[in-house]
Every structure is written in structure tokens, then in C-alpha cells.
Amino acid sequence: MAEKKVSNWREEATQLQLKGLTEVEIAKRIWREYQRCFKSEASCARTVQRYLRSAENPGNNSDSFEDVVEEMKGSIRKKAEREKKREAVLMKAATDIIIDGVLDAIQSREHYQPKRFEVVHNTNFSEETIVLDISDIQAGTYISKESTGGLNEYNWDVLERQFEALWYGLEEIVVRHKMVAPINNLHVHLLGDIVEGWDIFKGQTHSIDHDIAHQLLDITDLIADFLDKCRTLFDHIHVVGVPGNHGRIGRRGENLHYVNYDYIVYKFVEKLLKNYPEFTWQISESWWQVDTIYDYNFLMFHGDDIRGWQGIPYYGIDRAAKNYRELLELLGIRYDYMEIGHFHMPSELAGVTTEKFINGCWPGGTIYSMKGLGAANTPVQKLFAVHPRQGVTYRYPIRLVVDKDKLDVARRQERTKKGQ
Ligand SMILES: [Mn+2]
């Protein structure tokens, strides 16, 4: 006899119903078929068996199939509830054990007695050295209020006032900290882009108010005057310089990197101040310098070789820092801090062993940065202090605020000081 093919139990039942079989007869036939195919012992099998038993013994309060299913559901629900309860009891027990443990630990501890420390505070602070980063002046840059819709204004007059603001900022910070600890030395780190240049990009002549000769001569005077003033605050001033990209002479790569107006400005300033014994100079043809303050080495270069687009190229700077670490191993130099300019966004980036300082700029938002990137930065230069044992400690952004009223107040204070 050929195996009977069961495609669908419901269909089979419908067929039997059409033949006139009763509900019980259909259930029995299907059930036999089901057992023959699957020999099932599952709970559904028990439900069906129970139904068939009660249908065969009608005296025994015969339940309908639905009644039996409902009863089965009820017992499943009850079982689930029992499980849930058991789990809740377990959780509660576990929590109680932890709480008891903590309470025991607290109670077994001695009662806390304030120790009433008596500490004599050290006020004999060690000397610190001040570092002032100067870069990205881009002297000669001209930005009109009209062309930027009032977003920025920059010209030589603003630049001169910014030098005043830089001086007042430096003076206040140094005089303030001198009240606490000795400060004798200033290190000025010139990080490049001192001049704006005139043929770095196409049409640059439309955005300068000083030609390159006067950028060079006039900025030399401003820097020399500023450094000269610094002699009133410090016994010794060490000046370090690296060139930027704006001062390069010729197309990119046409001349060596030190064929650069920045380098010429540094050398001119050195010449102007050569008779003052307070100054020492570290200006060479190299594009990088390492300045040592106490036991800490400060590596500096301009930063234009680090590729970036919009904002701080974090990974590029990180990679440059690691590469320079290897490169300087050739000379047995290990550096602790890195200083760059170029990105116009004052920042400090932490690292495993090296902290990187990125200086701000003087012109603020240029037409290029604002129109192209919607970016503008407050003109800021970076100052920080170096402690003999702790390395760089406090750091200040000196905001080059040229607000007329604020500058007037500072000027008045200076006059009073001089007794004029
Ligand atoms: Mn630059």
C-alpha cells in the first residue's frame, strides 16, 4: 500500500467533515495519522489524548477540545509565574548577601577620626621661565570691513595696536606671576609667517597694504621695539626663529627654505639689537630648531609641510611629531614639546610623551578662511611657563585685543607708572 501523503492537517479534517464524520471521529482519525507519522510525545499530544478520552467517556463530564486547551494554557501560565517568582527570590537573596557584606565591612572598621593635618606650605617657589610664541603675523595683510561685510578689518594700523596689546598682555601676566616666584628669562619663539609676502597666491597684491620691502623693514622695527621693551621685564631674552611659507622667495621649492623674508627679518632684528647683552640668538638656516629650557627640549618648525584642510590636521601633526622623534634620534636629541604655527587655530594637543602647541595668528579671519571655510579665529598668541621640574605649567592665550577704549586704559596706566 502506498504511503499516504499528508500535506495539511486542516485540509484533511475538512475532507473528513465533508464526508459527514463527527468532530470526535475526525480528531481520532487525524490523531492516528499524526501518531503514525511522528510518534509524538509532546504536550500537545497529551492535550489531544485527554480530549479523546473524555469524548469516549461522556459520563465523565466531557470537556470540549477548547476547554482542554484553555486548561492547558492555564497550567503553562502558572508554571511561568512559578519560575518568575523563583528568579525574584534568587535576586533578592543575592542582593541581601551583598548588602550584608558591605554593612559588615563598614561596622568592622574603626570609626573615622579626622587627622587634623598640620602642613607648612612651601612658598619658596622655584624660578620659572616664560616662553612667548610669535608667529603668523602676516604683516602687510589688508582686509577691509567692506569686503568682509563687517566681519573683520585688518591693516598696518591694527597690527601696530596688536603689538601694544601683546606687550600689555605679556606685562600683566609676568608682573602678576613675579609676585609669587622669580622669573628672569624669556624665550621668544618666532615660528614663521612674520610677513604676508606678495606673490604667494594669485592676486595677493590686492590684499596687502605694504609692499614686501616695507613689510620687511617696518615689521623688523616693530619686533625690535617689542623685544627692546621686554628688557624691562627680563634679565635674559633668548630668541629662536624658524621661517614660514608666506615669506618664501620664488615659487614653492624654487629656492632653499631659508631664502625667505622671515629669515631676513630675524637676522635684521638680531643686528639691530646686537649691542644689548641681554639677548642671545638662535637663528640659523635650518627650518627647525630645538630650544632647551632647564631639562626640557622644545622642537619648533612652521608646520606648512603638514597637509591639512579646514582646522587642525590632528593626525598629520601626530605623524609629524612621531617622524621628527625618529629623525632627531640621529642627533641623539629627545624632545619633550613641539611648537608650530601656520594653522591659525591656537591649540594644545596631548600625547603620550609629547605635548604639541599650535600658535594662533594676528589677522583673524581672512577672506580666504571666511569665504572658503566659514572659519575665523580670534587673534591670539601663546605664552607658557616652564618649571625646572614640572615642565610646562601655566599657559595663557594673549588675545590681541585692539579695542580702542581698552588700549587707552592700558596706555594711561603706563603713563601713570612713569609719573608723566
Ligand atoms: Mn603658514
Side-chain angles (χ1 to χ4, degrees):
M1 200 175 117
E3 271 289 299
K4 182 170 181 191
K5 280 210 178 110
V6 179
S7 59
N8 183 322
W9 299 111
R10 190 179 293 277
E11 215 169 273
E12 180 90 9
T14 314
Q15 290 298 326
L16 293 171
Q17 206 172 18
L18 286 175
K19 283 183 188 167
L21 272 75
T22 67
E23 189 184 82
V24 177
E25 284 166 340
I26 294 169
K28 270 186 183 168
R29 289 273 287 271
I30 299 272
W31 178 237
R32 266 205 304 280
E33 203 65 23
Y34 183 85
Q35 274 184 315
R36 196 176 63 78
C37 294
F38 302 114
K39 303 195 171 27
S40 175
E41 295 293 333
S43 66
C44 72
R46 286 203 302 275
T47 311
V48 176
Q49 276 170 329
R50 198 167 150 206
Y51 164 69
L52 291 176
R53 261 203 310 279
S54 72
E56 278 165 355
N57 307 302
N60 197 6
N61 259 347
S62 104
D63 297 334
S64 74
F65 184 74
E66 280 73 21
D67 289 342
V68 178
V69 169
E70 275 313 309
E71 203 183 318
M72 206 64 195
K73 273 189 198 164
S75 77
I76 289 169
R77 248 185 238 121
K78 261 184 212 150
K79 198 179 162 200
E81 265 160 31
R82 269 202 308 278
E83 275 296 309
K84 231 190 234 170
K85 226 182 242 172
R86 203 178 139 263
E87 217 168 277
V89 170
L90 272 175
M91 281 298 292
K92 173 83 172 73
T95 314
D96 283 356
I97 289 170
I98 294 167
I99 291 172
D100 288 350
V102 173
L103 286 176
D104 282 354
I106 291 170
Q107 273 154 15
S108 66
R109 249 177 112 87
E110 271 175 44
H111 184 63
Y112 178 76
Q113 291 289 340
K115 295 198 177 53
R116 301 194 186 284
F117 289 104
E118 276 186 27
V119 179
V120 181
H121 295 295
N122 173 32
T123 49
N124 190 17
F125 300 126
S126 16
E127 179 212 56
E128 287 181 298
T129 289
I130 299 293
V131 174
L132 176 65
D133 282 346
I134 297 182
S135 75
D136 303 276
I137 302 177
Q138 297 185 199
T141 298
Y142 175 75
I143 302 167
S144 75
K145 228 176 190 162
E146 292 71 30
S147 70
T148 57
L151 286 172
N152 195 14
E153 183 180 28
Y154 199 80
N155 51 52
W156 199 272
D157 180 50
V158 173
L159 170 62
E160 284 185 353
R161 280 184 278 145
Q162 283 181 322
F163 263 99
E164 274 188 87
L166 183 67
W167 166 252
Y168 291 131
L170 172 75
E171 186 194 36
E172 182 173 342
I173 294 163
V174 172
V175 170
R176 198 182 275 251
H177 281 276
K178 271 188 172 187
M179 290 178 180
V180 188
I183 294 172
N184 304 309
N185 299 299
L186 171 69
H187 286 233
V188 177
H189 292 168
L190 298 159
L191 303 176
D193 281 357
I194 303 302
V195 297
E196 166 65 7
W198 63 284
D199 64 346
I200 293 303
F201 55 86
K202 208 174 159 209
Q204 195 179 16
T205 42
H206 303 300
S207 59
I208 53 177
D209 62 357
H210 266 48
D211 63 33
I212 188 63
H214 289 90
Q215 287 175 23
L216 187 72
L217 296 170
D218 294 347
I219 197 65
T220 300
D221 285 352
L222 284 177
I223 293 176
D225 283 350
F226 177 81
L227 291 177
D228 192 0
K229 249 189 203 170
C230 290
R231 291 164 54 240
T232 62
L233 280 174
F234 303 93
D235 299 339
H236 174 231
I237 299 159
H238 185 62
V239 185
V240 189
V242 289
N245 56 312
H246 271 260
R248 74 159 179 255
I249 299 171
R251 301 280 103 209
R252 193 182 171 88
E254 198 171 289
N255 292 303
L256 278 171
H257 58 273
Y258 63 84
V259 182
N260 189 303
Y261 294 112
D262 287 343
Y263 176 68
I264 301 170
V265 169
Y266 302 156
K267 282 293 177 190
F268 273 0
V269 174
E270 181 181 352
K271 256 192 166 31
L272 283 175
L273 299 173
K274 72 169 190 286
N275 291 329
Y276 292 112
E278 292 93 336
F279 291 99
T280 48
W281 304 89
Q282 187 179 333
I283 289 144
S284 73
E285 290 170 3
S286 171
W287 72 89
W288 63 274
Q289 296 287 344
V290 170
D291 185 17
T292 305
I293 303 172
Y294 306 119
D295 282 336
Y296 301 95
N297 282 333
F298 293 78
L299 164 70
M300 68 204 83
F301 52 93
H302 180 62
D304 56 302
D305 291 302
I306 299 169
R307 286 187 190 261
W309 182 84
Q310 205 166 6
I312 295 282
Y314 180 85
Y315 296 104
I317 291 172
D318 213 40
R319 197 170 54 188
K322 289 194 170 89
N323 289 347
Y324 269 92
R325 182 166 294 287
E326 265 188 54
L327 206 56
L328 295 188
E329 267 175 24
L330 291 173
L331 302 172
I333 299 172
R334 175 195 59 85
Y335 74 88
D336 305 280
Y337 297 94
M338 187 174 115
E339 295 163 72
I340 56 175
H342 188 67
F343 295 104
H344 291 208
M345 200 177 267
S347 326
E348 286 154 28
L349 306 178
V352 181
T353 55
T354 308
E355 194 174 352
K356 299 137 212 151
F357 296 111
I358 297 121
N359 201 22
C361 71
W362 294 52
T366 61
I367 291 176
Y368 170 77
S369 76
M370 292 191 292
K371 183 173 175 292
L373 311 169
N377 294 291
T378 311
V380 158
Q381 297 286 278
K382 213 170 259 297
L383 174 148
F384 51 84
V386 189
H387 185 278
R389 290 181 308 281
Q390 292 170 29
V392 173
T393 52
Y394 55 85
R395 58 251 0 233
Y396 285 89
I398 301 183
R399 295 184 61 212
L400 305 178
V401 181
V402 295
D403 182 285
K404 200 179 164 307
D405 293 341
K406 285 179 190 157
L407 269 185
D408 277 350
V409 170
R411 284 177 188 142
R412 233 183 347 264
Q413 281 169 349
E414 192 177 42
R415 273 198 301 277
T416 320
K417 213 164 49 196
K418 285 180 189 159
Q420 285 170 349

